[in-house]
Amino acid sequence: DGYHYTAKHVMVLRLQARDSILVGKLNQVLGSNRPIRHVPRQQPTQQDQVCLVVSNLRLSDALIKQGMYQAKSLTLTFPTSDQVPKNLLRHFVRGYYDGDGGLCLSRGRATHPSLSICASLPFALALIDIVKAQGCHMTLHKPSAIHSLTMTGRVQCVRFCDWMYQDVNGLFLPRKYAKYLECKNYVRPKRKGRSSIYRGISIHRGATGLRYVVRITHPQCKQYVGTYRDEQEAVQAYNETIIRSGLNVPLNVFNQP
């Protein structure tokens, strides 16, 4: 999440600790030497966070001119073509999606994805037109003061994400990108059961059930990632690690039996 204190010309960005790589990249792009703070979770259900605070008059004024004023969540409008040129539109939408959107795989299956984005009403209405231009459809909901846009179906979810991630410049959340690739590269298994296993993941059967151990054994990166009870969580952890490491190897695709 982000906040812009216009009176003090201060910009604050807070993300989950697992997304710290993106905060670090942004810090580099800004040419900032500000430290990235670690914020421990306050409740067991919360996630640890990382926080970047930047104080800069010139940057603050530039954001205001682009429509990024304070307390914008309920009133934010979609930027004009002067603010975001057509050739940068997909990058802007991807950045917004990384902050307030997500791709959900129903029952853990890439065959039934649902893509959602939260926005103010003016922003949501403009985004619907952007989505239509890509040959996709989104439904508008209003569960609260913030509106929600949803898109279902693997074909159009992949088509929209293909557009967002075209010419990707490295500024994106690896875990959301991995989810998109899992959906895009899904191949329905031809064999029954779980006789095949994934690249970089081994299964260990113990007294308390199955454990999925994830290790990267590439010549350029040898790393123990973790041990997981959930098969899909292990697949996602492997994919995110591969993306963060920049290795040119195929990702795993979770196969629901």
Side-chain angles (χ1 to χ4, degrees):
D1 195 12
Y3 198 81
H4 185 193
Y5 295 92
T6 55
K8 297 183 178 181
H9 311 292
V10 172
M11 293 130 287
V12 180
L13 176 65
R14 293 171 70 110
L15 293 179
Q16 295 181 18
R18 59 178 173 170
D19 299 326
S20 60
I21 184 174
L22 184 59
V23 181
K25 287 182 178 180
L26 179 61
N27 208 21
Q28 291 177 357
V29 169
L30 293 175
S32 169
N33 59 0
R34 300 283 297 183
I36 298 174
R37 294 193 299 111
H38 180 265
V39 182
R41 58 183 176 180
Q42 302 298 318
Q43 302 292 335
T45 56
Q46 295 178 338
Q47 297 283 341
D48 289 355
Q49 295 183 331
V50 289
C51 178
L52 175 64
V53 181
V54 177
S55 178
N56 186 288
L57 174 60
R58 184 178 178 182
L59 179 59
S60 178
D61 287 344
L63 288 176
I64 293 174
K65 290 180 181 179
Q66 297 297 98
M68 299 295 289
Y69 45 84
Q70 188 167 322
K72 64 188 184 308
S73 297
L74 301 181
T75 58
L76 181 66
T77 58
F78 202 87
T80 65
S81 57
D82 290 334
Q83 293 171 321
V84 178
K86 185 177 181 180
N87 65 309
L88 298 179
L89 184 59
R90 65 169 57 90
H91 300 296
F92 171 80
V93 172
R94 184 182 68 249
Y96 189 91
Y97 166 82
D98 276 346
D100 287 311
L103 183 64
C104 176
L105 305 184
S106 178
R107 299 184 296 277
R109 293 186 295 176
T111 51
H112 297 79
S114 174
L115 189 148
S116 62
I117 299 177
C118 295
S120 65
L121 180 58
F123 193 100
L125 293 176
L127 187 56
I128 286 177
D129 292 335
I130 300 296
V131 171
K132 285 182 179 178
Q134 311 313 317
C136 304
H137 172 75
M138 294 194 96
T139 303
L140 179 64
H141 309 274
K142 186 186 178 183
S144 60
I146 295 291
H147 292 67
S148 175
L149 293 168
T150 59
M151 174 191 300
T152 58
R154 179 171 176 266
V155 173
Q156 68 170 353
C157 284
V158 169
R159 181 185 299 140
F160 180 64
C161 288
D162 281 344
W163 174 77
M164 280 199 305
Y165 288 106
Q166 182 181 343
D167 302 324
V168 67
N169 57 6
L171 289 176
F172 59 87
L173 285 182
R175 60 184 174 87
K176 292 189 178 182
Y177 183 66
K179 185 80 70 168
Y180 148 63
L181 291 180
E182 180 181 348
C183 183
K184 179 180 176 68
N185 298 327
Y186 177 80
V187 178
R188 190 180 298 276
K190 296 181 180 180
R191 62 180 75 175
K192 296 182 180 180
R194 302 190 181 190
S195 57
S196 61
I197 189 56
Y198 306 96
R199 184 180 295 103
I201 302 176
S202 58
I203 296 180
H204 298 261
R205 186 183 303 273
T208 57
L210 296 179
R211 294 289 187 276
Y212 300 88
V213 180
V214 181
R215 289 187 176 90
I216 308 298
T217 57
H218 192 274
Q220 298 177 8
C221 178
K222 296 185 182 296
Q223 176 184 349
Y224 166 74
V225 179
T227 301
Y228 304 85
R229 290 177 177 269
D230 182 75
E231 180 179 346
Q232 185 180 8
E233 186 179 0
V235 170
Q236 185 172 348
Y238 173 89
N239 290 345
E240 290 178 9
T241 305
I242 291 296
I243 293 172
R244 284 196 300 268
S245 302
L247 300 176
N248 185 24
V249 297
L251 300 179
N252 284 319
V253 177
F254 173 66
N255 290 328
Q256 179 77 10

Short mmCIF file of all heavy atoms in Angstrom, two decimals, residues 13 15-30 36 50 52 94-95 98-99 169-176 244:
data_model
loop_
_atom_site.label_atom_id
_atom_site.label_comp_id
_atom_site.label_asym_id
_atom_site.label_seq_id
_atom_site.Cartn_x
_atom_site.Cartn_y
_atom_site.Cartn_z
N LEU A 13 5.66 3.79 1.13
CA LEU A 13 5.27 2.55 0.48
C LEU A 13 5.48 1.40 1.45
O LEU A 13 6.57 1.23 1.99
CB LEU A 13 6.11 2.32 -0.78
CG LEU A 13 5.87 0.99 -1.52
CD1 LEU A 13 4.45 0.95 -2.08
CD2 LEU A 13 6.89 0.79 -2.63
N LEU A 15 4.78 -2.81 1.80
CA LEU A 15 4.40 -4.06 1.16
C LEU A 15 4.73 -5.22 2.08
O LEU A 15 5.50 -5.07 3.04
CB LEU A 15 5.13 -4.25 -0.17
CG LEU A 15 4.80 -3.29 -1.33
CD1 LEU A 15 5.64 -3.64 -2.54
CD2 LEU A 15 3.33 -3.33 -1.68
N GLN A 16 4.15 -6.38 1.78
CA GLN A 16 4.50 -7.56 2.54
C GLN A 16 6.00 -7.85 2.37
O GLN A 16 6.58 -7.59 1.32
CB GLN A 16 3.69 -8.76 2.06
CG GLN A 16 2.20 -8.63 2.31
CD GLN A 16 1.43 -9.86 1.84
OE1 GLN A 16 2.01 -10.94 1.64
NE2 GLN A 16 0.14 -9.70 1.69
N ALA A 17 6.58 -8.41 3.42
CA ALA A 17 8.03 -8.65 3.40
C ALA A 17 8.44 -9.55 2.24
O ALA A 17 9.53 -9.41 1.70
CB ALA A 17 8.47 -9.26 4.73
N ARG A 18 7.57 -10.46 1.83
CA ARG A 18 7.91 -11.36 0.73
C ARG A 18 7.99 -10.62 -0.61
O ARG A 18 8.47 -11.17 -1.60
CB ARG A 18 6.89 -12.49 0.62
CG ARG A 18 5.45 -12.05 0.41
CD ARG A 18 4.54 -13.25 0.29
NE ARG A 18 3.14 -12.88 0.24
CZ ARG A 18 2.15 -13.73 -0.04
NH1 ARG A 18 2.43 -15.00 -0.30
NH2 ARG A 18 0.90 -13.32 -0.05
N ASP A 19 7.50 -9.36 -0.64
CA ASP A 19 7.57 -8.54 -1.85
C ASP A 19 8.66 -7.48 -1.75
O ASP A 19 8.65 -6.50 -2.50
CB ASP A 19 6.22 -7.86 -2.11
CG ASP A 19 5.10 -8.86 -2.33
OD1 ASP A 19 5.36 -9.92 -2.91
OD2 ASP A 19 3.96 -8.58 -1.92
N SER A 20 9.61 -7.68 -0.86
CA SER A 20 10.64 -6.67 -0.61
C SER A 20 11.51 -6.42 -1.84
O SER A 20 12.09 -5.34 -1.99
CB SER A 20 11.52 -7.09 0.57
OG SER A 20 12.16 -8.33 0.31
N ILE A 21 11.61 -7.42 -2.74
CA ILE A 21 12.44 -7.24 -3.93
C ILE A 21 11.94 -6.08 -4.77
O ILE A 21 12.73 -5.33 -5.35
CB ILE A 21 12.47 -8.55 -4.76
CG1 ILE A 21 13.41 -8.39 -5.94
CG2 ILE A 21 11.07 -8.93 -5.23
CD1 ILE A 21 13.61 -9.71 -6.72
N LEU A 22 10.62 -5.88 -4.84
CA LEU A 22 10.07 -4.79 -5.63
C LEU A 22 10.36 -3.44 -4.98
O LEU A 22 10.65 -2.45 -5.67
CB LEU A 22 8.55 -4.97 -5.80
CG LEU A 22 7.85 -3.94 -6.68
CD1 LEU A 22 8.45 -3.96 -8.08
CD2 LEU A 22 6.34 -4.22 -6.75
N VAL A 23 10.30 -3.39 -3.65
CA VAL A 23 10.61 -2.15 -2.94
C VAL A 23 12.08 -1.77 -3.18
O VAL A 23 12.41 -0.61 -3.38
CB VAL A 23 10.33 -2.29 -1.43
CG1 VAL A 23 10.63 -0.99 -0.70
CG2 VAL A 23 8.87 -2.67 -1.21
N GLY A 24 12.95 -2.78 -3.17
CA GLY A 24 14.36 -2.52 -3.43
C GLY A 24 14.60 -2.00 -4.84
O GLY A 24 15.40 -1.08 -5.04
N LYS A 25 13.91 -2.55 -5.82
CA LYS A 25 14.05 -2.08 -7.19
C LYS A 25 13.58 -0.64 -7.32
O LYS A 25 14.21 0.17 -8.01
CB LYS A 25 13.26 -2.98 -8.15
CG LYS A 25 13.88 -4.35 -8.38
CD LYS A 25 13.05 -5.14 -9.38
CE LYS A 25 13.69 -6.49 -9.67
NZ LYS A 25 12.89 -7.28 -10.65
N LEU A 26 12.46 -0.32 -6.69
CA LEU A 26 11.94 1.05 -6.74
C LEU A 26 12.92 2.02 -6.10
O LEU A 26 13.15 3.12 -6.61
CB LEU A 26 10.58 1.13 -6.03
CG LEU A 26 9.93 2.52 -5.99
CD1 LEU A 26 9.67 3.02 -7.40
CD2 LEU A 26 8.64 2.48 -5.19
N ASN A 27 13.53 1.60 -5.01
CA ASN A 27 14.52 2.45 -4.33
C ASN A 27 15.70 2.75 -5.27
O ASN A 27 16.22 3.86 -5.30
CB ASN A 27 14.99 1.76 -3.06
CG ASN A 27 15.45 2.75 -2.00
OD1 ASN A 27 15.08 3.93 -2.03
ND2 ASN A 27 16.23 2.29 -1.05
N GLN A 28 16.10 1.73 -6.03
CA GLN A 28 17.20 1.92 -6.99
C GLN A 28 16.80 2.86 -8.12
O GLN A 28 17.58 3.71 -8.54
CB GLN A 28 17.63 0.57 -7.55
CG GLN A 28 18.30 -0.35 -6.54
CD GLN A 28 18.65 -1.69 -7.13
OE1 GLN A 28 18.34 -1.98 -8.29
NE2 GLN A 28 19.29 -2.55 -6.34
N VAL A 29 15.57 2.68 -8.65
CA VAL A 29 15.10 3.52 -9.75
C VAL A 29 15.05 4.99 -9.32
O VAL A 29 15.39 5.89 -10.09
CB VAL A 29 13.71 3.05 -10.23
CG1 VAL A 29 13.10 4.08 -11.19
CG2 VAL A 29 13.81 1.70 -10.90
N LEU A 30 14.66 5.22 -8.07
CA LEU A 30 14.57 6.58 -7.55
C LEU A 30 15.94 7.17 -7.25
O LEU A 30 16.06 8.38 -7.01
CB LEU A 30 13.72 6.61 -6.28
CG LEU A 30 12.23 6.30 -6.45
CD1 LEU A 30 11.54 6.24 -5.09
CD2 LEU A 30 11.54 7.34 -7.33
N ILE A 36 15.38 0.66 3.83
CA ILE A 36 14.09 -0.02 3.79
C ILE A 36 13.87 -0.67 5.16
O ILE A 36 14.63 -1.53 5.57
CB ILE A 36 14.06 -1.08 2.68
CG1 ILE A 36 14.25 -0.41 1.31
CG2 ILE A 36 12.76 -1.85 2.70
CD1 ILE A 36 14.38 -1.39 0.17
N VAL A 50 7.63 -4.54 4.78
CA VAL A 50 8.78 -3.66 4.56
C VAL A 50 8.24 -2.29 4.19
O VAL A 50 7.18 -2.17 3.56
CB VAL A 50 9.72 -4.19 3.46
CG1 VAL A 50 10.46 -5.41 3.92
CG2 VAL A 50 8.95 -4.47 2.18
N LEU A 52 9.23 1.77 2.86
CA LEU A 52 10.15 2.75 2.29
C LEU A 52 9.52 4.13 2.41
O LEU A 52 8.39 4.34 1.96
CB LEU A 52 10.44 2.43 0.82
CG LEU A 52 11.30 3.46 0.06
CD1 LEU A 52 12.70 3.53 0.65
CD2 LEU A 52 11.36 3.12 -1.43
N ARG A 94 -0.52 -2.58 -14.93
CA ARG A 94 0.14 -3.67 -14.20
C ARG A 94 0.56 -3.22 -12.80
O ARG A 94 0.41 -3.97 -11.83
CB ARG A 94 1.35 -4.17 -14.99
CG ARG A 94 2.04 -5.38 -14.35
CD ARG A 94 3.27 -5.82 -15.13
NE ARG A 94 4.35 -4.85 -15.05
CZ ARG A 94 4.76 -4.12 -16.07
NH1 ARG A 94 4.17 -4.21 -17.25
NH2 ARG A 94 5.77 -3.27 -15.93
N GLY A 95 1.07 -2.01 -12.69
CA GLY A 95 1.45 -1.50 -11.38
C GLY A 95 0.26 -1.36 -10.47
O GLY A 95 0.33 -1.69 -9.27
N ASP A 98 -0.79 -4.86 -9.40
CA ASP A 98 0.09 -5.40 -8.35
C ASP A 98 -0.29 -4.87 -6.98
O ASP A 98 -0.12 -5.55 -5.97
CB ASP A 98 1.55 -5.04 -8.66
CG ASP A 98 2.20 -6.03 -9.62
OD1 ASP A 98 1.62 -7.11 -9.84
OD2 ASP A 98 3.28 -5.73 -10.15
N GLY A 99 -0.81 -3.63 -6.94
CA GLY A 99 -1.17 -3.05 -5.65
C GLY A 99 -2.56 -3.42 -5.18
O GLY A 99 -2.77 -3.70 -4.00
N ASN A 169 9.16 -4.67 -17.75
CA ASN A 169 10.45 -3.99 -17.53
C ASN A 169 11.12 -4.38 -16.22
O ASN A 169 12.07 -3.74 -15.81
CB ASN A 169 10.23 -2.47 -17.55
CG ASN A 169 9.21 -2.02 -16.52
OD1 ASN A 169 8.74 -2.83 -15.71
ND2 ASN A 169 8.85 -0.75 -16.54
N GLY A 170 10.63 -5.41 -15.57
CA GLY A 170 11.25 -5.86 -14.33
C GLY A 170 10.58 -5.35 -13.08
O GLY A 170 10.81 -5.86 -11.99
N LEU A 171 9.73 -4.31 -13.20
CA LEU A 171 9.03 -3.78 -12.03
C LEU A 171 7.66 -4.44 -11.93
O LEU A 171 6.66 -3.94 -12.46
CB LEU A 171 8.90 -2.25 -12.12
CG LEU A 171 10.20 -1.46 -11.93
CD1 LEU A 171 9.96 0.03 -12.13
CD2 LEU A 171 10.79 -1.71 -10.55
N PHE A 172 7.63 -5.58 -11.27
CA PHE A 172 6.38 -6.31 -11.05
C PHE A 172 6.56 -7.23 -9.86
O PHE A 172 7.69 -7.54 -9.45
CB PHE A 172 5.99 -7.12 -12.29
CG PHE A 172 7.03 -8.14 -12.71
CD1 PHE A 172 7.03 -9.41 -12.18
CD2 PHE A 172 8.01 -7.80 -13.64
CE1 PHE A 172 7.99 -10.35 -12.55
CE2 PHE A 172 8.97 -8.72 -14.04
CZ PHE A 172 8.95 -10.00 -13.49
N LEU A 173 5.45 -7.67 -9.28
CA LEU A 173 5.52 -8.58 -8.14
C LEU A 173 5.75 -10.01 -8.66
O LEU A 173 4.91 -10.54 -9.39
CB LEU A 173 4.22 -8.54 -7.34
CG LEU A 173 3.99 -7.31 -6.47
CD1 LEU A 173 2.68 -7.46 -5.69
CD2 LEU A 173 5.14 -7.11 -5.49
N PRO A 174 6.85 -10.65 -8.26
CA PRO A 174 7.14 -12.00 -8.75
C PRO A 174 6.04 -13.01 -8.45
O PRO A 174 5.74 -13.87 -9.27
CB PRO A 174 8.45 -12.36 -8.03
CG PRO A 174 9.11 -11.04 -7.78
CD PRO A 174 7.98 -10.09 -7.48
N ARG A 175 5.43 -12.91 -7.27
CA ARG A 175 4.42 -13.93 -6.90
C ARG A 175 3.17 -13.81 -7.77
O ARG A 175 2.53 -14.82 -8.09
CB ARG A 175 4.06 -13.85 -5.41
CG ARG A 175 3.49 -12.53 -4.94
CD ARG A 175 3.27 -12.54 -3.43
NE ARG A 175 2.85 -11.26 -2.92
CZ ARG A 175 1.59 -10.86 -2.86
NH1 ARG A 175 0.62 -11.66 -3.28
NH2 ARG A 175 1.28 -9.67 -2.38
N LYS A 176 2.80 -12.59 -8.16
CA LYS A 176 1.62 -12.44 -9.03
C LYS A 176 1.96 -12.82 -10.47
O LYS A 176 1.13 -13.37 -11.19
CB LYS A 176 1.08 -11.02 -8.94
CG LYS A 176 0.48 -10.70 -7.58
CD LYS A 176 -0.25 -9.37 -7.56
CE LYS A 176 -0.86 -9.13 -6.18
NZ LYS A 176 -1.64 -7.86 -6.11
N ARG A 244 12.75 -14.62 -9.09
CA ARG A 244 13.60 -13.67 -8.37
C ARG A 244 15.07 -13.86 -8.74
O ARG A 244 15.84 -12.90 -8.80
CB ARG A 244 13.41 -13.82 -6.86
CG ARG A 244 12.13 -13.22 -6.31
CD ARG A 244 12.23 -13.06 -4.81
NE ARG A 244 12.44 -14.34 -4.15
CZ ARG A 244 11.46 -15.12 -3.70
NH1 ARG A 244 10.21 -14.75 -3.86
NH2 ARG A 244 11.73 -16.26 -3.10
#
